[in-house]
Amino acid sequence: MKRAQNIAEKIGMAVNCEPENHLYTLELDMDGTRLHTLNQSNQNPIEVNFHSGSHDHRRRFGGGKNQMIAKAVGVTRGGALTVLDATAGLGGDAFVLASLGCSVILNERSIIAHALLASGLEKGLAFAESAEDCELMAIFNRMTLLDIDSRTLLSQKLSTNNVSNNVIDVIYLDPMFPHRKKSAAVNKSMRAFQSLIGNDEDAGDLLDLALQQDICRVVVKRPKIAPPLANRKPSYALTGKSSRFDIYALKKFEKAKL
Ligand SMILES: C[S@@+](CC[C@H](N)C(=O)[O-])C[C@H]1O[C@@H](n2cnc3c(N)ncnc32)[C@H](O)[C@@H]1O
């Protein structure tokens, strides 16, 4: 109840124990946090589950360090990198990177997305502990969730003590991109979620701030056919089936990490 009150206060609403027909309902109970969208009753609510379903499947069978995101971030170089995921969303990409050995700081400014993500991380860790799954526990322990706007964080120079005990190697950005077509891959609930979060119109500023940091690279995930973010030409790009990773190489990775 205290958590529900905290969230309600942040978004300026009241907690209602008997929800009526609202456009969106964020439901919190002992089993976690989920978002229901009105008129989507035939759709599953949005919730984050890392320890089961598609995230778990990808962790086990998704191709490990051969995945394009791993190559884009530089995970394939061997050592353990520290990544700031400055647009964490529902944490899917961050979970892949943490599964591949990266320490990931996840920063999410939307109170709703943050609440869903925090619940997914908590449930995942509790599951790993109860199953005594040390590998899964280590993955969750490598993920640290923050709730600030990344532009605020990056408007000062990143230092080890303002976000992490480690030096940040890579900043990862995956801002919302407006979906013009009604893609089957994006279900109705997810589209409703995207319209709740908005289009991240300020993502160009975030990229500019990221490029000013003393780090090895900035990686931006884009739809395959989209122009580079803010028309900033990357050093190079890796293109997959539907997305592309634009890589802005700033300096070499430390030898100790190779
Ligand atoms: C497309 S989603 C990211 C999806 C994520 N990569 C995943 O795998 O689930 C983009 C998210 O970035 C967040 N975001 C955008 N700009 C931000 C900023 N300046 N600071 C923190 N979060 C930001 C948005 O609220 C949104 O939840």
Side-chain angles (χ1 to χ4, degrees):
M1 190 63 181
K2 189 155 185 276
R3 183 176 291 192
Q5 265 160 352
N6 272 340
I7 296 173
E9 248 168 53
K10 282 185 190 162
I11 50 181
M13 295 188 77
V15 176
N16 186 349
C17 295
E18 285 164 35
E20 296 140 23
N21 275 358
H22 293 295
L23 192 48
Y24 296 97
T25 305
L26 190 70
E27 184 183 36
L28 284 84
D29 61 24
M30 298 301 280
D31 296 325
T33 302
R34 61 203 76 80
L35 182 73
H36 297 271
T37 52
L38 186 68
N39 298 332
Q40 313 289 347
S41 48
N42 55 343
Q43 298 278 326
N44 291 330
I46 293 173
E47 64 184 317
V48 179
N49 275 316
F50 293 114
H51 59 284
S52 62
S54 57
H55 288 305
D56 185 52
H57 188 270
R58 181 168 177 187
R59 176 171 76 89
R60 292 164 192 266
F61 310 109
K65 292 185 178 174
N66 289 325
Q67 295 176 77
M68 201 165 281
I69 187 173
K71 292 180 185 158
V73 167
V75 176
T76 40
R77 290 161 178 271
L81 299 178
T82 300
V83 179
L84 170 65
D85 182 347
T87 57
L90 299 183
D93 292 330
F95 183 67
V96 172
L97 293 172
S99 304
L100 298 175
C102 298
S103 296
V104 188
I105 297 127
L106 300 85
N107 208 18
E108 176 50 55
R109 68 178 167 186
S110 149
I111 293 154
I112 305 294
H114 181 275
L116 294 168
L117 179 50
S119 161
L121 292 172
E122 251 172 49
K123 281 186 299 181
L125 182 59
F127 172 86
E129 283 171 353
S130 69
E132 297 184 9
D133 183 334
C134 297
E135 192 186 324
L136 197 53
M137 266 190 259
I139 294 171
F140 289 115
N141 286 328
R142 283 195 289 273
M143 299 172 79
T144 308
L145 178 59
L146 307 176
D147 63 358
I148 354 171
D149 189 311
S150 295
R151 289 172 307 160
T152 311
L153 192 69
L154 296 178
S155 57
Q156 315 139 31
K157 288 269 176 245
L158 273 183
S159 68
T160 47
N161 54 10
N162 66 357
V163 277
S164 156
N165 291 328
N166 304 327
V167 173
I168 306 285
D169 298 296
V170 178
I171 296 179
Y172 181 81
L173 304 178
D174 173 20
M176 287 284 189
F177 189 83
H179 289 276
R180 294 195 179 85
K181 284 188 196 157
K182 283 194 172 182
S183 143
V186 183
N187 71 28
K188 283 186 189 165
S189 303
M190 199 41 89
R191 271 205 293 275
F193 174 68
Q194 288 178 353
S195 64
L196 178 66
I197 303 290
N199 277 338
D200 296 342
E201 306 288 354
D202 49 13
D205 299 344
L206 189 55
L207 175 59
D208 283 343
L209 289 164
L211 290 172
Q212 288 163 25
Q213 304 297 323
D214 182 19
I215 55 167
C216 301
R217 58 175 72 167
V218 177
V219 176
V220 183
K221 185 175 175 184
R222 302 289 284 162
K224 190 176 172 179
I225 42 124
L229 183 54
N231 283 322
R232 289 267 200 161
K233 197 171 174 284
S235 315
Y236 63 100
L238 298 174
T239 308
K241 258 199 233 154
S242 55
S243 16
R244 189 184 77 232
F245 293 96
D246 289 347
I247 294 116
Y248 301 81
L250 302 179
K251 66 173 188 185
K252 287 194 172 154
F253 285 101
E254 270 173 47
K255 283 218 170 59
K257 303 218 172 195
L258 298 177

